[in-house]
């Protein structure tokens, strides 16, 4: 990249937990020919000139790494432990083969506890030789900002129903996936954003995700220069909604790249 201070964001997955199309569904969105309506599970890649950080290992992690020809990562940040955000964890093995070292992961205590339950074998003595397990170096996130390579990261506390999850701010970019409630204290970390990616599951309200209308009202409050909606379910057709959104807001899609 020409400007060393810039970061590049790639949306690897912009879909809700079941992905779009959803298995067995023949609704107009699931059967749409528009590539914008093909959504893998939510994950993004953040790259500087020297550092590459993934946010969440979705169940489509392997496909996402292959699609974008990504062979190595410097770290993974986890937002929370719902399976659509951790399901690809086992495939960290392939990154280990390339880098020959444990992959640093960053997460809060609750996410770690749940990750250990779901992928128990990665955190125990092996039963026998021959089966590789993902090798990770665990970093617990507290309130403070931290640095990976030349990328500075600020965790943002969010609520996802009752669950405490993390959003992340990197320079003037923020990623707030899987949330329906931004605590008052967190707005201070969302000031003066160039780009915000925010949860907008569907048109109707949901107990743990922002609807489109709720996401738009958060965008109104946060006032980023540009916003993208993500974690999209099959009730939303890209071409229907994108043209109705305010000028500085779009729906994200798999493969979208943004420079910040
Ligand atoms: Zn999710
Ligand atoms: Zn459908
Ligand atoms: Zn979730």
């Amino acid at each position: 990249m020409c400007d060393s201070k810039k970061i590049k964001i790639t949306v690897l997955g912009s879909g809700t937990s079941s992905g779009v199309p959803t298995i067995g569904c023949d609704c107009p969105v699931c059967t749409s020919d528009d590539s914008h309506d093909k959504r893998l599970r939510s994950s993004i890649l953040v790259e500087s000139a020297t550092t590459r950080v993934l946010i969440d290992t979705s169940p489509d992690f392997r496909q996402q790494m292959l699609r974008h020809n990504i062979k190595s990562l410097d770290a993974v940040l986890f937002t929370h432990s719902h399976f659509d955000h951790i399901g690809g964890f086992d495939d960290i093995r392939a990154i280990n083969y390339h880098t020959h070292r444990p992959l640093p992961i960053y997460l809060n205590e609750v996410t770690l506890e749940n990750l250990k339950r779901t992928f128990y074998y990665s955190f125990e003595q092996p039963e026998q030789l021959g089966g590789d397990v993902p090798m990770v170096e665990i970093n617990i996130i507290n309130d403070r900002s931290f640095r990976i390579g030349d990328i500075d990261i600020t965790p943002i506390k969010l609520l996802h129903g009752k669950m405490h999850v993390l959003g992340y701010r990197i320079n003037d970019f923020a990623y707030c996936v899987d949330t329906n409630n931004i605590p008052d204290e967190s707005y201070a970390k969302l000031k003066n954003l160039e780009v915000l990616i925010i949860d907008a599951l569907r048109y109707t309200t949901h107990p743990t995700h922002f609807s489109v209308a709720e996401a738009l009202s958060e965008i109104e409050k946060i006032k980023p220069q540009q916003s993208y909606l993500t974690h999209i379910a099959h009730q939303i057709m890209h071409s229907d909604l994108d043209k109705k959104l305010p000028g500085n807001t779009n729906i994200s899609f798999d493969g979208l790249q943004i420079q910040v």
Side-chain angles (χ1 to χ4, degrees):
M1 260 167 287
C2 39
D3 185 341
S4 63
K5 282 185 186 148
K6 287 227 166 198
I7 51 166
K8 182 172 84 178
I9 316 298
T10 304
V11 175
L12 304 176
S14 59
T16 189
S17 60
S18 47
V20 183
T22 300
I23 295 171
C25 184
D26 41 18
C27 79
V29 178
C30 288
T31 55
S32 160
D33 289 334
D34 185 349
S35 63
H36 296 93
D37 291 320
K38 312 265 181 243
R39 300 181 182 277
L40 298 179
R41 268 63 72 86
S42 291
S43 171
I44 63 167
L45 187 73
V46 180
E47 294 170 281
S48 69
T50 60
T51 307
R52 185 185 278 154
V53 172
L54 180 78
I55 304 188
D56 290 333
T57 55
S58 91
D60 300 314
F61 171 68
R62 173 177 170 276
Q63 191 181 343
Q64 290 162 337
M65 295 301 100
L66 291 171
R67 182 181 278 180
H68 294 274
N69 195 26
I70 298 159
K71 294 174 180 162
S72 68
L73 295 169
D74 294 296
V76 178
L77 313 178
F78 286 101
T79 58
H80 67 304
S81 61
H82 283 159
F83 196 78
D84 55 322
H85 298 261
I86 64 169
F89 182 80
D90 189 76
D91 286 312
I92 284 176
R93 288 177 298 136
I95 304 296
N96 297 148
Y97 301 151
H98 275 279
T99 58
H100 306 287
R101 63 183 177 93
L103 179 63
I105 61 170
Y106 292 76
L107 68 189
N108 67 16
E109 289 277 6
V110 185
T111 303
L112 178 62
E113 273 171 39
N114 292 333
L115 192 70
K116 281 183 169 176
R117 283 215 298 268
T118 309
F119 295 96
Y120 66 94
Y121 56 87
S122 309
F123 302 93
E124 291 175 354
Q125 284 300 317
E127 281 174 15
Q128 58 178 357
L129 291 177
D132 285 338
V133 300
M135 291 187 303
V136 293
E137 172 210 296
I138 296 163
N139 299 273
I140 296 295
I141 294 173
N142 49 36
D143 275 344
R144 284 194 297 273
S145 299
F146 53 96
R147 170 170 271 224
I148 298 168
D150 62 353
I151 299 182
D152 289 311
I153 297 147
T154 302
I156 303 166
K157 285 182 181 171
L158 302 171
L159 282 165
H160 180 27
K162 288 180 184 166
M163 192 178 200
H164 291 267
V165 305
L166 291 175
Y168 293 102
R169 179 175 183 144
I170 299 162
N171 299 353
D172 290 335
F173 164 75
Y175 185 61
C176 298
V177 74
D178 287 53
T179 178
N180 66 332
N181 187 346
I182 301 176
D184 284 340
E185 58 180 302
S186 295
Y187 285 101
K189 295 181 175 175
L190 293 166
K191 281 185 182 157
N192 302 317
L193 286 178
E194 203 175 310
V195 177
L196 170 67
I197 299 185
I198 188 167
D199 188 353
L201 181 73
R202 61 187 190 191
Y203 295 107
T204 52
T205 56
H206 185 278
T208 65
H209 291 274
F210 283 133
S211 65
V212 171
E214 288 167 340
L216 290 177
S217 95
E218 292 299 330
I219 289 166
E220 187 84 348
K221 198 166 163 185
I222 296 166
K223 300 191 193 317
Q225 290 173 35
Q226 171 71 38
S227 308
Y228 293 95
L229 310 182
T230 196
H231 212 283
I232 307 293
H234 67 150
Q235 290 90 348
I236 295 176
M237 185 173 278
H238 179 93
S239 58
D240 279 351
L241 178 60
D242 200 54
K243 60 179 182 242
K244 293 177 192 154
L245 292 171
N248 62 348
T249 303
N250 292 93
I251 319 181
S252 72
F253 52 88
D254 294 16
L256 171 68
Q257 295 197 320
I258 312 158
Q259 300 262 6
V260 181

